[in-house]
Amino acid sequence: MTRSQVLIAGAGPTGLVLALWLAKQGVNVRIIDKTEGPGTTSRALAVQARTLELYRQLDLADEVIARGHKVPAMNLWAKGVKAARVPFELVGADLTPYAFPLIFPQDQHEKLLIERLQSFGVAVERRTELLSFTDRGDGVTARLRGPDGAEENCEADYIAGCDGARSIVRETIGAGFPGGAYQQVFYVADVEAIGPSADGELHIDLDTSDFLAIFPLAGPGRARLVGTVRDDRAEHPGALKFEDVSDLAIQHMKVEVRKVNWFSTYRVHHRVADRFRQGRAFLLGDAAHIHSPAGGQGMNTGIGDAINLAWKLAQVLAGRAPDSLLDSYEAERIGFARRLVATTDRGFSFATAEGPVANFLRTRLAPVLAGAAFRLEPVREFLFRTVSQITLNYRGSPLSVGEAGEVKAGDRLPWTPNASAEESAAMTRIGWQALVYGEVSTAVADWARDRGVPLHLFDFTPAHEHAGLVRDALYLLRPDTYVALIEPRPEPTVLDRYFHERGLKP
């Protein structure tokens, strides 16, 4: 019987990133997937700024950017006229080194992740299906069916369900999956086109009868169209072709489609599992939450799940933390998933609602209000912070203690423009570390040295002050670079108490 420390069911982006993070930390992982190979269609597209920031720890950010397409702006259209334009680079330039949404299709994304995983000696076991598993209390025994149809038992310390909306892991632990489906049928088409909306930017049409979003892909004139299928054609979506869908919004945005490379129809669900952990089993990605594609949040949220869980599993398996640390995974991720589903649900429902009142609000009132609102810097910044996920925080988590200035424990550490090479390098490390902008006592420096916690000292600058950091305060970072502890007047006893009360070993 084979044995691994973590068995991962599902080799989409969530499962692959989980496997990468674990493998990089020396955890023995096994990752299986029932498909014959990685996806061949560009399902999820957007890679948000926070994902790119976290990818620095896997040495992936630069490669993803090089292979993807930066989206410089979002445009709103109504009744054939461009009503508003939001340039991303002007909004997030002081907030993140990645002040843009990046388009990097999921099929290409998965191939890159697989390449990196193979560099750690881990290969995805294809055509291998999870049939069932049993949580024994001290480990998990899983039943698998391999590519030749033969069945085997395998053992693991933990099992991670990254196996999608029809998750066997979720079904096995008996977790509910409350929610529903939108009544509209949607289509997706990857096309080659010309026209003012095939310019490498994001375009959204708020039409009386059609909803259409145009996402740019790498390469001249390449784009993805996501729209609604209206009237009686939605009754048999599986039989539809691109020529069958309404082209009203396409005409309004002056798009001339020259070639359709891929077309599909689907229904959108909005659901969140009622728990993300049961014993030694965890739910991540679409197995834990599914929602509308509004804002390009789905894949990024699953990757966030993976990174949040990976460092905790690694600490527990290395004997540096108690099993109770793993409870914080659900505590930190389920609330965000619920808020995300609620937010995208409201936005998507508004954008696709039908009827005279909805049409008036969407096509007459919304463009005017949006155009005025987007001219206000606070509105643009709020939109960017939300969509990019840099505002996602774990305040209120049992792992978050303290605050100083504008930063609270649980926040992502603010980024400062023109950061030093040492500051940037700190964000690539996986492990506990402490940062001080100013000076620190000899006692704290000795504490960090004796416990093997890197202590980074930086000169306090106006840029740090502008970012909300406080001179001489200590920021203890978790292995995922979120702030665990903030102490304005750091002393060794405070640091010792933080780790002791949680049973952690730095």
Side-chain angles (χ1 to χ4, degrees), residues 77-199:
W77 291 67
K79 293 188 173 296
V81 177
K82 188 186 296 186
R85 181 179 185 271
V86 184
F88 292 118
E89 67 271 16
L90 299 180
V91 182
D94 292 337
L95 303 174
T96 174
Y98 310 109
F100 48 83
L102 185 81
I103 298 297
F104 187 44
Q106 183 174 333
D107 54 336
Q108 300 173 39
H109 199 153
E110 288 183 10
K111 290 176 183 177
L112 175 59
L113 294 173
I114 290 168
E115 290 173 10
R116 289 301 176 90
L117 189 57
Q118 289 173 339
S119 70
F120 287 96
V122 180
V124 177
E125 298 180 41
R126 294 289 177 182
R127 298 170 58 198
T128 302
E129 184 177 3
L130 173 68
L131 301 177
S132 62
F133 72 90
T134 302
D135 186 339
R136 306 186 314 272
D138 61 347
V140 171
T141 300
R143 188 74 173 167
L144 311 179
R145 180 188 293 128
D148 59 358
E151 297 184 7
E152 65 160 308
N153 288 331
C154 69
E155 292 185 343
D157 292 296
Y158 296 95
I159 184 169
C162 306
D163 47 345
R166 296 181 175 86
S167 170
I168 294 297
V169 177
R170 188 184 64 246
E171 179 182 323
T172 302
I173 68 175
F177 206 32
Y182 297 99
Q183 65 178 10
Q184 296 93 347
V185 172
F186 295 84
Y187 73 84
V188 56
D190 284 358
V191 303
E192 296 174 22
I194 59 174
S197 297
D199 60 354

Side-chain angles (χ1 to χ4, degrees), residues 229-382:
V229 179
R230 302 287 189 176
D231 55 57
D232 57 357
R233 289 167 297 179
E235 295 179 6
H236 305 286
L240 290 176
K241 298 179 181 179
F242 180 72
E243 294 76 15
D244 299 323
V245 302
S246 171
D247 63 353
L248 182 60
I250 294 175
Q251 292 178 11
H252 278 185
M253 287 201 282
K254 304 173 177 63
V255 180
E256 182 180 340
V257 176
R258 295 291 184 87
K259 182 181 179 181
V260 178
N261 295 318
W262 177 59
F263 175 81
S264 182
T265 58
Y266 62 99
R267 288 190 183 274
V268 175
H269 289 251
H270 47 97
R271 302 179 183 275
V272 180
D274 57 20
R275 59 185 181 277
F276 287 8
R277 181 191 187 189
Q278 179 69 42
R280 291 180 172 264
F282 300 88
L283 302 177
L284 303 85
D286 287 353
H289 44 78
I290 52 176
H291 44 81
S292 85
Q297 302 290 294
M299 181 180 66
N300 295 273
T301 304
I303 290 171
D305 293 342
I307 292 173
N308 184 287
L309 180 61
W311 75 265
K312 296 170 183 177
L313 282 171
Q315 294 273 301
V316 171
L317 289 165
R320 308 194 70 81
D323 181 83
S324 58
L325 173 65
L326 300 174
D327 291 334
S328 67
Y329 165 67
E330 177 181 305
E332 293 181 346
R333 297 302 296 179
I334 197 169
F336 173 68
R338 288 169 176 163
R339 291 191 299 274
L340 177 62
V341 167
T343 301
T344 56
D345 180 53
R346 287 192 295 269
F348 216 51
S349 295
F350 172 77
T352 60
E354 300 182 41
V357 175
N359 289 341
F360 173 79
L361 292 174
R362 187 170 60 247
T363 64
R364 299 296 180 90
L365 189 60
V368 173
L369 294 178
F374 290 158
R375 284 192 287 271
L376 302 175
E377 184 176 352
V379 174
R380 296 197 303 267
E381 182 174 315
F382 173 80

